[in-house]
Amino acid sequence: MTEPQLRALLEKVRAGSLSADDALAELHHMPFEDLGFAKVDHHRALRHGMPEVVMGHGKTIGEVEAIAKSLLERSPNLLITRADETMAATVKALDSTAEYFPRSRTIRVWGDRQVIGKSKIAIVCAGTSDIPVAEEAQITAEVMGNEIDTIFDVGVAGIHRLLSNRARLNEARVIICCAGMEGALPSAVGGMVSVPVIAVPTSVGYGASFHGLAALLGMLNSCASNVTVVNIDNGFGAAYFATLINRI
Amino acid sequence: MTEPQLRALLEKVRAGSLSADDALAELHHMPFEDLGFAKVDHHRALRHGMPEVVMGHGKTIGEVEAIAKSLLERSPNLLITRADETMAATVKALDSTAEYFPRSRTIRVWGDRQVIGKSKIAIVCAGTSDIPVAEEAQITAEVMGNEIDTIFDVGVAGIHRLLSNRARLNEARVIICCAGMEGALPSAVGGMVSVPVIAVPTSVGYGASFHGLAALLGMLNSCASNVTVVNIDNGFGAAYFATLINRI
Amino acid sequence: MTEPQLRALLEKVRAGSLSADDALAELHHMPFEDLGFAKVDHHRALRHGMPEVVMGHGKTIGEVEAIAKSLLERSPNLLITRADETMAATVKALDSTAEYFPRSRTIRVWGDRQVIGKSKIAIVCAGTSDIPVAEEAQITAEVMGNEIDTIFDVGVAGIHRLLSNRARLNEARVIICCAGMEGALPSAVGGMVSVPVIAVPTSVGYGASFHGLAALLGMLNSCASNVTVVNIDNGFGAAYFATLINRI
Amino acid sequence: MTEPQLRALLEKVRAGSLSADDALAELHHMPFEDLGFAKVDHHRALRHGMPEVVMGHGKTIGEVEAIAKSLLERSPNLLITRADETMAATVKALDSTAEYFPRSRTIRVWGDRQVIGKSKIAIVCAGTSDIPVAEEAQITAEVMGNEIDTIFDVGVAGIHRLLSNRARLNEARVIICCAGMEGALPSAVGGMVSVPVIAVPTSVGYGASFHGLAALLGMLNSCASNVTVVNIDNGFGAAYFATLINRI
Amino acid sequence: MTEPQLRALLEKVRAGSLSADDALAELHHMPFEDLGFAKVDHHRALRHGMPEVVMGHGKTIGEVEAIAKSLLERSPNLLITRADETMAATVKALDSTAEYFPRSRTIRVWGDRQVIGKSKIAIVCAGTSDIPVAEEAQITAEVMGNEIDTIFDVGVAGIHRLLSNRARLNEARVIICCAGMEGALPSAVGGMVSVPVIAVPTSVGYGASFHGLAALLGMLNSCASNVTVVNIDNGFGAAYFATLINRI
Amino acid sequence: MTEPQLRALLEKVRAGSLSADDALAELHHMPFEDLGFAKVDHHRALRHGMPEVVMGHGKTIGEVEAIAKSLLERSPNLLITRADETMAATVKALDSTAEYFPRSRTIRVWGDRQVIGKSKIAIVCAGTSDIPVAEEAQITAEVMGNEIDTIFDVGVAGIHRLLSNRARLNEARVIICCAGMEGALPSAVGGMVSVPVIAVPTSVGYGASFHGLAALLGMLNSCASNVTVVNIDNGFGAAYFATLINRI
Amino acid sequence: MTEPQLRALLEKVRAGSLSADDALAELHHMPFEDLGFAKVDHHRALRHGMPEVVMGHGKTIGEVEAIAKSLLERSPNLLITRADETMAATVKALDSTAEYFPRSRTIRVWGDRQVIGKSKIAIVCAGTSDIPVAEEAQITAEVMGNEIDTIFDVGVAGIHRLLSNRARLNEARVIICCAGMEGALPSAVGGMVSVPVIAVPTSVGYGASFHGLAALLGMLNSCASNVTVVNIDNGFGAAYFATLINRI
Amino acid sequence: MTEPQLRALLEKVRAGSLSADDALAELHHMPFEDLGFAKVDHHRALRHGMPEVVMGHGKTIGEVEAIAKSLLERSPNLLITRADETMAATVKALDSTAEYFPRSRTIRVWGDRQVIGKSKIAIVCAGTSDIPVAEEAQITAEVMGNEIDTIFDVGVAGIHRLLSNRARLNEARVIICCAGMEGALPSAVGGMVSVPVIAVPTSVGYGASFHGLAALLGMLNSCASNVTVVNIDNGFGAAYFATLINRI
């Protein structure tokens, strides 16, 4: 509820067209709907101008179904991250256009394919093992109305591969950069471009990668100033943030 | 060196107006200048359209002086972060307009005060102890040509203080959010606005704050999707990234 | 054995109605019973006025059966936490009124449903994924004689949901607050109420949540002073502690 | 602002005695006062019925002075934790009754010594090195209107010392238990009493104590169910929480 | 090879009864036998006067069989720790007296049951979940010729259970103390007795127990001076060390 | 592209035998081939004079097949690490000489068995459980053209076994040393020889080995100066590095 | 209070020579004396047959003086660990025979120099930097009545130095082994002898030694079974434990 | 003592020209000299063909003096790392040619400046703050007889600086690569060259660099296969290892 809305409501009270009790009730009427186990907040997505997104992990099939049903009634687009095949089958039963991407474990209903972003988002990843996270970012960014350019398998140890993509990198308005192991890619990319770079550490690696901790720490300590970081494997979050920048 | 420049150079060789050796030399002429201990890269800042920035910590007085001298010859603005009072005196001797901010340990020469940013950057912090980091962000963002709105001491435990600033928060194009201890502020701010939020964990706290680790982890796990994170106490980096967004 | 009991015993010795050897034996008679593998201490629960509780994890079916049998002979109420379906079947064979809650993996025999607590305990959680832990707290608090108010899915990133429940929160005598990821909810709740808040970090999340460590550290560093913390996923412990407060 | 207050305000608007704009202004008038660097929230303490508390660490002398001055104008009691001797001198200049406790680095103005707590709070510590933290708890609990019983130097390795204090422990309504090193004391105390125990890990120890981490982890894993934990060295927080329980 | 043996050998060379080449060969004759994948050192056990011990984990069935066969040819006793049921079946095929203990995953051939230890070893554990580790210690200590007294389920939160066993504890020459969670038991036991206590942290617990880390740190920081520590879940190592003390 | 090659290309442009556009095209022609999901860089291996190596983990069967096919067309040798049996079957279908080593999970095609290394590489490991990692090193070093001497099961606790191999150790030009648990072997080996020692921590162990962290830290702190370290379980990397030294 | 004493007391009550109240008082009379800030437990040391020991760190000069005075009245021997020079001067003023060892920061009063230990304790250390910890062990073990053999600077990287001391090592009844950095020495020593080895990790080192953590983890994972571990830098604890073994 | 020497000695005994006792004595004569607090091993350096090196940190001035004196009598070159100015003055008093390098805290006596290395060692560092570690490597490598090429301030965020030095990098036989913060430099360098790269993490940085841990983990996870790692800030160790490679 914004200030103008509040002012309008108070004016109605002042004008006598709304009782104090009704005003109170209205003030209490929160913009979310109660499903019992989860308060689906239709207004949050609207507020941000984003499609609805649900994290599948940790929810039962029944919960996913109920939430998906509730959301699909109001929105042509839906994204469910960290979902499994059973959830995918359930959503496909609700909407036959639903797609499932097993690599990134994502379910997508993409009814409204209008491009809203003002320019391109480049999604870069260091090795083939980072592709699941990059794919989550790609699917998210697409359903949020962005044009995407993917540049995969351009790690720092083969720096010429990365350099040969300098032009494509500089055409993007914002870059998402996924890397596991030492997580050095965002620093190199950040030094090559003048646009914002969102670094996504991936849990790829073994031993002293400690499930993405090495990449995370590396990215937080990046010597390139145009780099910020999201959680390990959080391709969704990076795409969300990049979308915000691409809509400015 | 961009592709058009390379093509032009090759055309000159083709036309005979440039020898192969001279072309080779030109290709090798790197856009940085060698001071012996540090290669000052005047082009990097230009490339990003940013003023020059130096990190004082870990440099000798002599190094700071030489770098500052070299940079001030080419640029009206200069920022030295993590500097001490002796460095400040040295820079003031080079340029009497230099300011020193002891709280954030920052030296600034601010000759060109043109506003470049397209809208406001809000800088929010949770407690008074977070102000040094917030100040580093503010000084950086100002010298980079942004209009700033500072909203200090609005921690999550007094949520009404934060809510009373909702309007100001929503007027900003991008928000920098500094918090130590549990680092919960960016989640709350992120949920209140639809603009990008850059979270800066601070090393404020004691015991199980582990010098900012608790805040860092909290921010990386933020349930608000419009939040990214920079290194602990990295007010400079947050301001740099916010500036990039504010110039789009 | 309290001081008055000891004095009484000594008086009996003094009066000659008890020999030194018998007194010695009595002093040695410890209030627990030996099942060989586990000393079931019927007096501990009595001492605290609590029903019997067993942790199922790490015990064999046989052990669970023997302990449950021994306890049910003396008490109408029994709680087994971190139990699996086989244990549940075993206990149901002993007492057909036993319930099993698969989400929180809890077995409950609730013969005596008298309310002992003086007011309500509110149980709040941040997201649907935190419900298993919240449910463990709820089942525990119920069997210990408390009236419960559950307020689920009110995370910090949608702060208005939380604020719309302020009245219900302030009606509780003590609040249990379960949250994973950044663990910011207890700080926000703590700032809204003046009653004690018991924070339960949950292992919900991924990447840098490190199985609840991020939430745990966040809660320990809470800027709200009316917050204490129990172990990750320890819904039982929070309910036990809340019960103690609710009986004062 | 509570619901009745809001209703009253709306009624005034309805009755025409308050314009919509004035009502709006009032709704925006937050119950804190802006000192520029810190928003002193007089209402928060009132809301919780607690004296004002300030953390000295990380504030300049000037800030401490301004905040102390502002608070002392409204309240007879004031507590400043983690303060140094210079801060103490500054506060003594404002109020000659101010006391400074160097061991716990606490400043206290204790004008109103009314006892509000309904029973006693016992403060227990394991070794002499834990006394600074225990003292912070004691000074805090006293100024918050509690009667205190201190039982110091009763570590687990000399269990008979602890057992000889069983009666005193059981007379308390709530127990604060400070211990460093292995942090075992709260488990032992928790097993001896039926009242809530608030465990405070201290940073006492060396080597693998890791500045209180060992004690913190030990306490979080306590096998006694009536134990919750606050941050390392957080004697203040434990006393605050104990006070809440002692006022129920 | 001891100094007297070396001197004797040199004297034989001096006397001409041994050629330099033969002496050289003898000096090179190392007291182990090469099975290709593992050098079975029959002398090490003999040197320490201990039965042969093999760690099953990480070995193939074939390797376990070959090593067991080689060892059983020379020794009536054999212990295989961290073994599975298939390994047990393999060893039973070699020696029908072999026993398998599924709880502690131990295989034992106990042909020579002579008691060598000079007094008793007490094995104490805090909860039933610690029994697997305590059982590994018990089986190891038995096959190494010690008389054992087991005192299980005497955790610190029920301190009177522990105290009621003071006499039995003081009858032991050395005590093995297994505990998970907060690992407080060794401190309490250490304070009650004057004999050496070997603490074994167990990986029992959840959340902030971090697979035994909390117990390990607690034990290393024990305030009782008569406590040393072995690796998490290392019941075998504790029994080995206790055996050395019991043979002095 | 080296400087002489660049000079030659420019001379061709100068001479008119190459147009600027063709030169540009040539400069852009990067020495890798695009398979869509992974850029197979045939030149990198050639540049280092090494056979092609692929990490199987994290790749789909289809990707492994496509990459293997592409590589086998150009090279007689191929190594796939961290591969499973299905991948092995797929590669065997492409080349019937392919071998699979289940212990180290390695696939090898070894068509060209020429020895290139100038001397021997010794591979030492502490216990039988370290053999999988040592085997990965051995298979890698063999396919890269080195003669190998393997010395297994010579841990520090049986120091005479290690000492009896001093001569063999000193015959190697470089030593790979694999050890888990305390990771002490490289220090002992390093002190016995004057050649470079490459330490490989293995994830062997339990409890406080923390999946190889203890061994890793031990090796990084080695008091022997001729020791460097690679990632936990990285037998491949150690062999690669040793090969470089053995070719000098 | 032992069982016979309790029986005797009860008999006196039975016989009428002791009233119930006096018996009660006697039962409450705890064997420690209250100095206000620290309960000096004269009986604990007597119980273990050890001299009195005080940890200086964290105590004020006044406390050290009061405790030392109280202890010296009852005992000819006194040890104060982690003491500074001012504490030393204070104790020397109480007893002119007091010695101060600045390297290990130990104060010792050694009036009764009777040897109680049945054999020798060897104290081994890896490098000169480990000597402070080894010296704390030595001074402690001496004042506790043991004969000591010190073997310093015999690190694993120079294994022949260690081997040349095999005879001396085997003459000891128990060995204390101090090492920082990789902490490999106890494994090597443990493999050479058949007596108990007590490992003391030291905080010597830099970088990835993490203040002794590397050494601690290494020792806990020792592949030698006759090794147990005490806290980082805990020379005192190792000596105490070794003394217990040497008195058996 | 090698096998041929042992055979020769035994032959002398056999021939009667050496008594058994004298042979025994000779066998016991270890190649180190005992200074009481540190066994200076002249043979170790000789064995490796290296000058003598001492770590100053943790030694007293007297110890440094005694060791330096003993070493300088036998060797024209001496290196003392982690030394302070007082140690430098002491060594200069022993040998007036001694140099002190305050940045890297190194003392060097460089009497014999013969070049032994077969080619050049390149020392690369990422930023000016890494120079102290790089300088320790340079001074060490020089005194060990290597020709050095230093390439400083070529971080990954300005990748063109690094690329412009490709030729110099490829001229080296081995490369030492020092970097703090994210530690990405070795991966980039490793991908550009085909020679061994020794990575040295530096403790440069702040916040989540955790004193070099981020750089260390990054380097251990390097995607370039020709990279190994030494301890944080261990410029000496890297130079030592590089020297071994440069002498092959």
Side-chain angles (χ1 to χ4, degrees), chain E residues 1 41 78 86 94 133 138 157 170 225 230:
Chain E
M1 176 158 279
D41 182 356
L78 171 67
T86 321
L94 292 174
V133 177
Q138 177 179 2
N170 275 298
S225 303
V230 296

Side-chain angles (χ1 to χ4, degrees), chain F residues 63-76:
Chain F
E63 288 171 356
V64 166
E65 187 175 23
I67 295 174
K69 197 149 169 283
S70 166
L71 292 175
L72 284 171
E73 280 165 12
R74 285 164 180 78
S75 166

Side-chain angles (χ1 to χ4, degrees), chain G residues 103-172:
Chain G
R103 192 163 225 180
S104 54
R105 306 183 58 233
T106 314
I107 303 167
R108 180 170 63 184
V109 177
W110 196 8
D112 173 2
R113 300 198 173 204
Q114 189 191 352
V115 169
I116 307 174
K118 298 197 177 148
S119 179
K120 270 193 294 192
I121 296 174
I123 301 178
V124 186
C125 79
T128 44
S129 310
D130 302 314
I131 292 181
V133 177
E135 190 186 271
E136 186 184 281
Q138 177 179 2
I139 291 168
T140 302
E142 283 172 356
V143 82
M144 288 178 173
N146 299 284
E147 196 182 345
I148 307 300
D149 187 14
T150 58
I151 306 173
F152 288 178
D153 201 24
V154 288
V156 166
I159 201 74
H160 58 288
R161 295 188 196 176
L162 183 60
L163 293 173
S164 72
N165 285 292
R166 187 192 286 264
R168 282 167 69 191
L169 289 171
N170 274 298
E171 274 165 27

Side-chain angles (χ1 to χ4, degrees), chain A residues 156-159 163 166 181-182 184 187-188 191-192 206 208-210 213-214 217-224, chain H residues 156-159 163 166 181-182 184 187-188 191-192 206 208-210 213-214 217-224:
Chain A
V156 165
I159 200 73
L163 293 173
R166 186 193 287 264
M181 303 177 75
E182 81 267 63
S187 293
M192 288 166 61
Y206 61 90
S209 82
F210 294 124
L213 178 62
L217 293 183
M219 290 169 176
L220 285 167
N221 286 285
S222 175
C223 47
Chain H
V156 165
I159 201 74
L163 292 173
R166 186 192 287 264
M181 302 177 76
E182 81 268 62
S187 293
M192 287 166 63
Y206 61 90
S209 81
F210 295 123
L213 178 62
L217 294 182
M219 290 169 177
L220 285 167
N221 286 284
S222 176
C223 47

Side-chain angles (χ1 to χ4, degrees), chain C residues 23-191:
Chain C
L24 199 59
E26 191 128 359
L27 284 168
H28 276 172
H29 187 73
M30 280 293 115
F32 51 84
E33 146 188 8
D34 201 328
L35 292 182
F37 51 84
K39 297 187 166 41
V40 177
D41 182 355
H42 301 297
H43 290 236
R44 178 143 59 139
L46 296 182
R47 223 179 326 138
H48 289 203
M50 294 294 190
E52 304 289 354
V53 184
V54 179
M55 182 187 269
H57 180 77
K59 296 204 173 60
T60 65
I61 294 293
E63 289 171 356
V64 167
E65 188 174 23
I67 296 173
K69 196 147 171 287
S70 166
L71 294 174
L72 284 169
E73 280 165 12
R74 285 165 181 78
S75 166
N77 287 356
L78 171 67
L79 185 71
I80 308 184
T81 61
R82 299 182 187 244
D84 58 32
E85 305 229 353
T86 321
M87 292 175 184
T90 304
V91 177
K92 280 178 184 169
L94 292 173
D95 185 324
S96 64
T97 71
E99 303 163 283
Y100 182 59
F101 302 84
R103 191 163 226 181
S104 55
R105 307 185 55 234
T106 314
I107 303 167
R108 181 169 63 183
V109 177
W110 196 9
D112 173 2
R113 301 199 173 203
Q114 189 191 352
V115 168
I116 307 174
K118 299 198 175 150
S119 178
K120 270 194 295 194
I121 296 174
I123 301 178
V124 187
C125 78
T128 44
S129 311
D130 301 314
I131 293 181
V133 177
E135 190 185 271
E136 185 184 281
Q138 177 179 3
I139 291 168
T140 301
E142 283 172 355
V143 83
M144 288 178 173
N146 300 283
E147 196 182 344
I148 307 299
D149 186 15
T150 58
I151 307 173
F152 288 178
D153 202 21
V154 288
V156 166
I159 200 75
H160 57 287
R161 296 188 194 176
L162 184 60
L163 293 173
S164 72
N165 285 291
R166 187 193 287 264
R168 281 167 69 192
L169 288 171
N170 274 298
E171 276 166 25
R173 198 179 217 201
V174 53
I175 298 171
I176 292 169
C177 194
C178 308
M181 300 177 76
E182 81 268 62
L185 189 58
S187 292
V189 169

Side-chain angles (χ1 to χ4, degrees), chain A residues 1-213:
Chain A
M1 175 156 282
T2 63
E3 199 167 318
Q5 289 177 311
L6 181 55
R7 182 187 301 270
L9 185 143
L10 289 167
E11 289 293 359
K12 279 202 232 164
V13 174
R14 174 82 171 136
S17 66
L18 195 72
S19 73
D21 277 341
D22 290 351
L24 199 60
E26 191 129 359
L27 284 168
H28 276 171
H29 186 72
M30 280 293 115
F32 50 82
E33 148 187 9
D34 202 327
L35 292 181
F37 51 83
K39 296 187 169 41
V40 177
D41 182 355
H42 302 298
H43 289 236
R44 176 143 60 141
L46 296 182
R47 221 180 328 139
H48 289 201
M50 294 295 190
E52 305 288 354
V53 184
V54 180
M55 183 188 268
H57 180 78
K59 295 204 174 60
T60 64
I61 293 293
E63 288 171 355
V64 167
E65 187 175 23
I67 295 173
K69 196 147 171 288
S70 166
L71 293 174
L72 284 170
E73 280 164 12
R74 284 162 182 82
S75 165
N77 288 356
L78 171 67
L79 185 71
I80 308 183
T81 60
R82 295 175 192 249
D84 58 32
E85 305 230 353
T86 321
M87 292 175 185
T90 304
V91 177
K92 280 179 185 169
L94 292 173
D95 185 324
S96 64
T97 70
E99 304 163 282
Y100 183 59
F101 301 84
R103 193 163 224 180
S104 54
R105 306 184 56 234
T106 314
I107 303 169
R108 181 169 64 182
V109 177
W110 196 9
D112 173 3
R113 301 201 173 202
Q114 189 192 350
V115 169
I116 307 175
K118 298 198 176 147
S119 178
K120 271 193 293 193
I121 296 173
I123 302 178
V124 187
C125 79
T128 44
S129 311
D130 301 315
I131 292 181
V133 177
E135 190 185 272
E136 185 184 279
Q138 178 179 2
I139 291 167
T140 301
E142 283 172 356
V143 82
M144 288 178 174
N146 300 283
E147 197 182 343
I148 307 299
D149 186 15
T150 58
I151 307 173
F152 288 179
D153 203 20
V154 287
V156 165
I159 200 73
H160 57 287
R161 295 187 194 179
L162 184 60
L163 293 173
S164 73
N165 285 290
R166 186 193 287 264
R168 282 167 69 191
L169 288 171
N170 274 298
E171 276 165 26
R173 199 180 216 200
V174 53
I175 297 171
I176 292 169
C177 194
C178 308
M181 303 177 75
E182 81 267 63
L185 188 59
S187 293
V189 168
M192 288 166 61
V193 303
S194 55
V195 301
V197 175
I198 303 163
V200 192
T202 72
S203 55
V204 166
Y206 61 90
S209 82
F210 294 124
H211 309 295
L213 178 62

